[in-house]
Amino acid sequence: MSGIWGNKIKISIFGESHGKAVGIVLDGLKPGIEIDLGYIREQMKRRAPGNTSLSTARKENDEFHILSGCFRGRSTGTPLCAVILNGDVNSEDYEEISNMPRPGHADFTGRVKYKGFNDYRGGGHFSGRLTAPLVFAGSLCRKVLEERGIVIGSHVKSIGRVEDKYSFDAVSTDKNTLEKLSKDIFPVLDKGCGEKMKDSILRARKEGDSLGGVVETMVLNLPAGVGNPFFNSVESTLSQLLFSIPAVKGVEFGEGFNIAAMKGSEANDEYYMSENHEIKTYTNNNGGILGGITNGMPLIFKTAVKPTPSIAKAQRTVNIESGEDAILRIKGRHDPCIVPRAVPVIEAAAVIGILNLM
Amino acid sequence: MSGIWGNKIKISIFGESHGKAVGIVLDGLKPGIEIDLGYIREQMKRRAPGNTSLSTARKENDEFHILSGCFRGRSTGTPLCAVILNGDVNSEDYEEISNMPRPGHADFTGRVKYKGFNDYRGGGHFSGRLTAPLVFAGSLCRKVLEERGIVIGSHVKSIGRVEDKYSFDAVSTDKNTLEKLSKDIFPVLDKGCGEKMKDSILRARKEGDSLGGVVETMVLNLPAGVGNPFFNSVESTLSQLLFSIPAVKGVEFGEGFNIAAMKGSEANDEYYMSENHEIKTYTNNNGGILGGITNGMPLIFKTAVKPTPSIAKAQRTVNIESGEDAILRIKGRHDPCIVPRAVPVIEAAAVIGILNLM
Amino acid sequence: MSGIWGNKIKISIFGESHGKAVGIVLDGLKPGIEIDLGYIREQMKRRAPGNTSLSTARKENDEFHILSGCFRGRSTGTPLCAVILNGDVNSEDYEEISNMPRPGHADFTGRVKYKGFNDYRGGGHFSGRLTAPLVFAGSLCRKVLEERGIVIGSHVKSIGRVEDKYSFDAVSTDKNTLEKLSKDIFPVLDKGCGEKMKDSILRARKEGDSLGGVVETMVLNLPAGVGNPFFNSVESTLSQLLFSIPAVKGVEFGEGFNIAAMKGSEANDEYYMSENHEIKTYTNNNGGILGGITNGMPLIFKTAVKPTPSIAKAQRTVNIESGEDAILRIKGRHDPCIVPRAVPVIEAAAVIGILNLM
Amino acid sequence: MSGIWGNKIKISIFGESHGKAVGIVLDGLKPGIEIDLGYIREQMKRRAPGNTSLSTARKENDEFHILSGCFRGRSTGTPLCAVILNGDVNSEDYEEISNMPRPGHADFTGRVKYKGFNDYRGGGHFSGRLTAPLVFAGSLCRKVLEERGIVIGSHVKSIGRVEDKYSFDAVSTDKNTLEKLSKDIFPVLDKGCGEKMKDSILRARKEGDSLGGVVETMVLNLPAGVGNPFFNSVESTLSQLLFSIPAVKGVEFGEGFNIAAMKGSEANDEYYMSENHEIKTYTNNNGGILGGITNGMPLIFKTAVKPTPSIAKAQRTVNIESGEDAILRIKGRHDPCIVPRAVPVIEAAAVIGILNLM
């Protein structure tokens, strides 16, 4: 069991890539939230494939249907269920290779876990398509946070070995920057680096290969005092959600792995009293969190996304039925890099987590 | 609320550094587990301060008392509570600076969160001392896993800027290696690098400073099929626990942030059929997890630990009462580096998490 | 928040009576369970209105659509979502009286709880229609229990003041009896009493009034050792689920309120060794549960169902807008007695609870 | 697993009757609650044995030790653990009969559940002594509710076949009545009936027998809008807690089983607008709850408590080791009736539940 998460707002996710539908139930939303369909569609479009030449040409129908919990355009406070119907998909390709697990995918582990009964077509329940309902849920939570002045934004920090030369703590990041990034389908701080990233993606595609990357995310205007020590710390809560996104293999807060290489005197964020009598820190190496609780500084974290496992190149695998080694060639059109499409999913996970902590 | 975690085995942690006691309740342990007091003490001793010249000279009494759930040397299956009484501690130092939050600590965030009612002495509920009950709980879970042949081990991958030149996937790591590491108070793969690490810690102490580091952990003999997609994935479960350890700021599985820089064709772990007809992968970049579920390869993850925030050097802070900037000098004896002592805590978090997933 | 329940199998219920749909997500079903559509429909038909002259003439479309978690006729082990679409309903009647809460209904409390944003039409989320997805979920759990030989059955113990002269412990109740009762739309042990009950219902309908009743339920072949002390005792678990059924106001196990009037020497179920060396009790006043755990005797409980609050008779209420007393006349066709239709819902709650405890 | 309950305030109960201690952890208490030791002791004294000639002469040491979560007389907001040490008890009597399960007790079911590893002495984890920490927790929650003007009180409605002629809805019950009842060790509404109840208890004791009874509880000044539909309804929440009290076999809200015998026109609580413009009901058959949510009328429920299973009379049982029928004579001093001592436990369960819903 694993599709249910949360304490204040519980989400219950369901669906398979080639089944009837994917969807989500949100339980615990306060009544009266404006369900802004345009806003939700805008968020979901950020995740949808086919936006640019960088993603798969495959079109997915991401139109959602709200089945409950919404009345006269507002949340009722009762469980809100939204479903996204799957179109008619040609699942034949998957039949052919159902005994040959794709490297880097959950084909083999899913088969073991579910004793062969799982719907393996298109990744089934493990498909990236399941992140669509997550973005739906995120868009509702995001709206609630925005009403309190809290904004979230991300930039692609790296694609493969190409890195954005700026980071969120290197430039003076403000609300405008984050909002602008949120509207960009390939958000970067340095345009030049962004072009190089895109080039590397196109090159990987040409080679029948794929690339991963790192996303840096910032949340502004979170009050101090949000979070808990131990198991519901801000880091624990967000990491649990972030690692439930397919392809995420690393999460760090503030300077993360870098802070481990600093001295205490460098790492500690010293305090000062700001002009308007707020307690601030000179640096933000802890990413706005101390003892699992926000300190009023911007919340910053980075998420490592592995390269798309589906590649055109031939790969070695096994045939589970025959028990022999085999060569696999994955057909179909796949994203050479899912990092840009992962950005809204990461933000959705973050806002769902933050709203649960407030 | 945050001190309770788990579904199959629930743990409930409590206590303050300078209060009466710290402790833990484990609910859901199966009946009949041998409560091996020697084994538990051995595990807890790994975390205890004062083991070497590298840690604080301060002695803590870590002797635990099992109050329930144990009968005739075995678990009863009912909730098992263990407490560790706090000795009489001189809390005066903390009174003096109760209005001056220590940089890098939770003094400020705890004060905001708990509206000034929290026990701030010695870090209170945020103190590293709370990890002692975690190691207690871990030692019980570890024993259960060991009975199934599952072993866990770690090495200090880096201290400050000094790195162990080997990693778990670079040497042929087996059960013996892990067990030997578990007995070492400063476990490293390369002795020479280990000496350099120790030197750097002693140097930092002399400077009134501190160091952090990275711990690499491996779990051997986990069967394939453990874990879940989404919110209870192996990564989600372990990261939630790992990030609840004070000072942890980053977690990555397998190649983690490095995998984000690879191409798909490099990152994908290709399959082959082993001689004894098991499905294996040539590489283990995914750290033994695909789709949140174990694939039978060794589980590998790295944890970034920030430098001890308590340093002798003067630091800038604010006086919350007066509203003015201030200079803080922390008295007392503190660890120049808690990384070696964090190793058993990280392992405890991991075994608690894994047992919950099985 | 309240629509999510369970630990091993989690259910997440959603929907409103006059919204788009009602539905449920089941998370934690084991893979490979046969999804027997005929069996599910049969169970759901027991709850559906319009079966007899005793229930409302109103027809509801209870046809369900399984959106996920089912592949080739079997459960996949991933979350299974089923929805029941609501037909086009004339909601005008409800508009008219939206400010006049119906006595005995949740109109007033729902309005306060949800600050006026809830969908009040037809009872909204509080509607008895929400029990349809519960019966759907129950039919899956029931099937799993039946495969282990565990059977459940109920009879209407009383309607208004008319009581069945037999109880489950008075006649020798066996598997056949329970299975026969399960096929009866108005299950009773004594046919004559059953006829009197039906007469009283018809009489109440003629008077524009309604009746409640008591349902007695038995579960056979449960092994000893199921359940827990305290918060997840069999009684705690089942009562939490039973009281979540609209209109249930009392739950008792074994002799329940009667046992409180007995002496210890009468109440205690004394043990004996049966011929095939099983430990049995001479009596079953504790309803098969001691210390929250099953003892291998039949599990027996009774559920009190209040009379349908929707009656044709004029009733006193208030007009919330105007702040004045008012007279309410409820239009439409309503069940004069929902007790027979509550039987499969009670059984569904029980099997969901029991499966969670096993 | 079952010793952990709650969402806003989680409680984690542990201990065995003849082990080292019993205790509880409360997680989620708001910071700053006055920990009034006198008030807590007063509440716990109501449950303690040896108060009157009606209860066992056996003295128990109920002195509690707060180990964490309390600083300078107030709750810190972090987990609060309290333990009650068990005195040195003579456990020999239990050794003798460890293979002969006492009828009505959990000896047999506990043995099956825990595979023989449980601490059976004195009932172990199933002992009524475990209700002491529950009353401790309840006294903290009760204090929080009292600060908001919410009061709770109970009376013994019946002992064996002797019934109090008044009920809470028959006399005009106000705050004073409830507070007075809370100070009475044997609270009844009609003194004459109370004397008859006491007589019947003394008679039962003389006969080597025991009696059960029914407790009626009322909560005043709860605002409308507390609770939820379905699984966290007021009834679901309270019943789950009430049924976790050893010996409770029935729970009903408002008229409970009686409402099932009413007509809808009798059962429905009609509304009127009160003089100070509050919406009230003429009757309170629903016990202050509609659709699982409070309606502002007094919350009323009844709890059925079975007779103490420990009686002096010889009883039939089995010898599990030899596999033969046997005769059991329970030694020691036992309560002839635990109903009066159950009153504060029932109230504790209720206030813990209510605080979780608010």
Side-chain angles (χ1 to χ4, degrees), chain C residues 70-322:
Chain C
C70 178
F71 183 49
R72 295 180 177 158
R74 292 191 176 270
S75 67
T76 56
T78 59
L80 189 154
C81 177
V83 298
I84 301 165
L85 298 174
N86 295 326
D88 288 323
V89 228
N90 188 347
S91 306
E92 277 173 31
D93 292 354
Y94 294 97
E95 294 301 324
E96 199 179 357
I97 59 163
S98 69
N99 290 316
M100 289 160 66
R102 295 168 298 168
H105 275 288
D107 297 349
F108 170 59
T109 56
R111 186 182 175 123
V112 175
K113 165 93 184 165
Y114 298 116
K115 299 175 169 46
F117 289 107
N118 59 316
D119 181 353
Y120 49 79
R121 298 168 303 163
H125 187 56
F126 297 90
S127 164
R129 184 157 170 77
L130 270 284
T131 60
L134 217 55
V135 172
F136 173 88
S139 66
L140 296 185
C141 297
R142 189 176 184 129
K143 190 89 182 183
V144 176
L145 291 178
E146 280 180 1
E147 280 168 15
R148 302 190 196 181
I150 299 163
V151 287
I152 186 170
S154 309
H155 71 111
V156 177
K157 176 65 190 160
S158 70
I159 293 289
R161 300 187 185 282
V162 187
E163 213 170 305
D164 193 330
K165 65 179 169 188
Y166 297 126
S167 287
F168 273 145
D169 48 0
V171 295
S172 74
T173 320
D174 62 3
K175 208 177 147 177
N176 285 341
T177 312
L178 296 189
E179 283 174 349
K180 212 180 292 174
L181 287 169
S182 292
K183 295 209 161 61
D184 199 333
I185 214 78
F186 197 102
V188 287
L189 291 177
D190 182 81
K191 291 289 168 198
C193 297
E195 290 310 310
K196 283 183 202 153
M197 292 177 189
K198 290 177 188 172
D199 287 348
S200 67
I201 295 175
L202 293 173
R203 212 157 43 234
R205 185 165 68 175
K206 210 177 276 176
E207 293 168 6
D209 216 326
S210 65
L211 289 176
V214 173
V215 175
E216 187 178 37
T217 304
M218 182 184 258
V219 186
L220 278 175
N221 301 334
L222 266 178
V226 174
N228 303 279
F230 295 99
F231 314 119
N232 293 334
S233 73
V234 174
E235 294 106 325
S236 287
T237 302
L238 294 196
S239 71
Q240 189 189 12
L241 285 163
L242 292 166
F243 276 118
S244 66
I245 303 172
V248 169
K249 297 301 280 189
V251 171
E252 60 180 11
F253 294 86
E255 284 301 309
F257 279 88
N258 286 341
I259 207 174
M262 293 180 179
K263 292 182 179 179
S265 57
E266 297 165 322
N268 283 350
D269 299 310
E270 293 178 301
Y271 293 102
Y272 70 95
M273 197 61 77
S274 80
E275 286 184 14
N276 49 352
H277 293 285
E278 284 175 14
I279 294 172
K280 301 262 185 191
T281 59
Y282 291 100
T283 50
N284 191 17
N285 297 320
N286 283 285
I289 314 164
L290 286 170
I293 298 168
T294 56
N295 64 1
M297 297 296 291
L299 171 63
I300 297 183
F301 63 90
K302 292 199 200 76
T303 312
V305 180
K306 73 178 187 182
T308 330
S310 288
I311 55 174
K313 282 188 174 175
Q315 294 180 89
R316 291 172 292 179
T317 186
V318 292
N319 185 313
I320 294 177
E321 292 291 294
S322 71

Side-chain angles (χ1 to χ4, degrees), chain A residues 1 3 7 16 27 69 72 78, chain C residues 1 3 7 16 27 69 78 120:
Chain A
M1 176 178 49
N7 44 6
E16 279 84 25
D27 195 357
R72 294 179 179 158
T78 58
Chain C
M1 176 177 52
N7 44 8
E16 279 85 25
D27 195 358
T78 59
Y120 49 79

Side-chain angles (χ1 to χ4, degrees), chain B residues 51-65:
Chain B
N51 283 323
T52 70
S53 62
L54 296 169
S55 71
T56 171
R58 176 172 38 89
K59 281 275 177 191
E60 281 178 21
N61 181 7
D62 271 16
E63 186 59 26
F64 55 89
H65 303 273

Side-chain angles (χ1 to χ4, degrees), chain D residues 111-341:
Chain D
R111 185 181 176 121
V112 175
K113 166 93 184 165
Y114 298 115
K115 298 173 175 33
F117 290 106
N118 58 315
D119 181 354
Y120 48 80
R121 299 169 303 162
H125 187 56
F126 297 90
S127 163
R129 183 157 170 76
L130 269 285
T131 58
L134 217 55
V135 173
F136 173 88
S139 67
L140 296 185
C141 297
R142 189 176 183 129
K143 190 88 181 183
V144 175
L145 291 179
E146 279 179 2
E147 279 168 15
R148 302 190 194 180
I150 298 164
V151 287
I152 186 169
S154 308
H155 71 112
V156 177
K157 177 62 190 161
S158 69
I159 294 288
R161 299 188 187 282
V162 186
E163 213 170 308
D164 193 330
K165 67 178 168 188
Y166 298 124
S167 287
F168 273 145
D169 48 0
V171 297
S172 75
T173 321
D174 61 3
K175 208 178 146 174
N176 285 341
T177 312
L178 296 188
E179 285 174 349
K180 213 179 291 173
L181 288 169
S182 292
K183 296 209 162 60
D184 199 334
I185 214 78
F186 198 102
V188 287
L189 292 178
D190 182 82
K191 291 289 169 198
C193 297
E195 290 311 311
K196 284 183 201 153
M197 291 178 191
K198 289 177 190 174
D199 288 348
S200 66
I201 295 175
L202 293 173
R203 214 158 38 237
R205 186 165 66 173
K206 211 176 277 176
E207 294 167 5
D209 217 325
S210 66
L211 288 177
V214 172
V215 175
E216 188 178 37
T217 305
M218 183 185 257
V219 186
L220 278 175
N221 300 334
L222 266 178
V226 174
N228 302 279
F230 296 100
F231 314 119
N232 293 334
S233 73
V234 174
E235 292 105 325
S236 288
T237 302
L238 294 195
S239 70
Q240 189 190 11
L241 286 163
L242 292 166
F243 275 119
S244 66
I245 303 172
V248 169
K249 297 302 280 189
V251 171
E252 59 180 11
F253 293 86
E255 284 301 311
F257 280 87
N258 286 340
I259 206 174
M262 294 180 179
K263 292 182 179 178
S265 56
E266 297 164 323
N268 283 350
D269 299 310
E270 293 178 301
Y271 292 102
Y272 70 94
M273 197 60 77
S274 80
E275 284 184 15
N276 50 353
H277 293 285
E278 285 176 12
I279 295 171
K280 301 262 186 190
T281 60
Y282 291 101
T283 50
N284 191 17
N285 298 319
N286 284 284
I289 314 164
L290 286 169
I293 298 168
T294 56
N295 66 0
M297 296 297 290
L299 172 62
I300 296 182
F301 63 89
K302 292 200 201 76
T303 311
V305 180
K306 74 176 185 182
T308 329
S310 288
I311 55 174
K313 282 188 173 172
Q315 294 181 87
R316 291 172 291 179
T317 185
V318 292
N319 185 312
I320 295 178
E321 292 291 293
S322 71
E324 286 170 357
D325 289 342
I327 296 295
L328 175 76
R329 282 171 210 281
I330 300 176
K331 293 172 194 166
R333 297 161 299 178
H334 296 279
D335 283 288
C337 180
I338 53 161
V339 177
R341 292 179 58 203

Side-chain angles (χ1 to χ4, degrees), chain A residues 171-201:
Chain A
V171 295
S172 75
T173 320
D174 61 3
K175 207 178 147 176
N176 285 340
T177 312
L178 296 189
E179 284 175 347
K180 213 180 290 174
L181 287 169
S182 292
K183 296 208 160 62
D184 199 332
I185 214 77
F186 198 101
V188 286
L189 292 177
D190 182 82
K191 292 290 168 196
C193 297
E195 290 311 310
K196 284 182 201 154
M197 291 177 190
K198 289 177 189 172
D199 287 348
S200 66
I201 295 175

